[in-house]
Amino acid sequence: MQTLTYRRALLKLSGEALVGEQGYGIDANMLQYISAEIQDVHQLGVELAVVIGGGNIFRGTEARAYGIERVTADYMGMLATVINGLSLQSGLEKIGVPTRVQTAFEMQAIAEPYIRERALHHLGEGRVVVFAGGTG
């Protein structure tokens, strides 16, 4: 058995990593590949949390061209991270990796509220925790 250098890790995953060959959105093959890579780390026994971006769907900094206020554009970008977080959760759960999505936005029907102690509990229980939409 291999000795782990780190027993807990935080992965920052750009939303653009999900684009793959298609140039926009979420590429199913790339989602499957990233999920399998995360599964490999998870199977080593690493407690893994993922912060995911949303640049493949929406970039708040480009919203000015549409006449969207900065704060509204930032919210839209954070919502894009939730879409990516849910897709990553789906990809991971499909291959047997227990996953929870947490967000600072109230949307309890699709994600848990970010609570530090709850995130630590999930990690301790062997779940991958995906942070999307900020942590407050």
Side-chain angles (χ1 to χ4, degrees), residues 95-116:
I95 58 175
V97 179
T99 309
R100 297 293 185 272
V101 176
Q102 291 192 339
T103 177
F105 285 111
E106 278 220 24
M107 48 179 65
Q108 292 181 4
I110 60 172
E112 293 182 3
Y114 170 73
I115 300 170
R116 181 180 179 274

Side-chain angles (χ1 to χ4, degrees), residues 4-13 38 41-42 44-51 119-120 123-124 127-131:
L4 296 174
T5 302
Y6 301 100
R7 67 176 197 86
R8 183 178 296 156
L10 177 67
L11 170 65
K12 169 53 175 108
L13 185 61
I38 291 171
V41 174
H42 180 260
L44 292 173
V46 176
E47 295 178 358
L48 187 62
V50 180
V51 174
L120 293 172
L123 292 172
R127 298 178 189 106
V128 171
V129 180
V130 179
F131 300 121

Side-chain angles (χ1 to χ4, degrees), residues 11 31-46 48 50 88 91-99 128:
L11 170 65
L31 178 62
Q32 184 178 10
Y33 172 78
I34 291 170
S35 296
E37 291 290 306
I38 291 171
Q39 180 186 41
D40 289 346
V41 174
H42 180 260
Q43 288 177 337
L44 292 173
V46 176
L48 187 62
V50 180
L88 183 59
L92 290 167
E93 295 274 345
K94 188 176 197 177
I95 58 175
V97 179
T99 309
V128 171

Side-chain angles (χ1 to χ4, degrees), residues 65-85:
Y66 305 116
I68 299 171
E69 285 186 39
R70 170 72 191 263
V71 173
T72 301
D74 288 344
Y75 284 141
M76 292 169 70
M78 290 191 301
L79 288 170
T81 71
V82 175
I83 292 169
N84 285 339

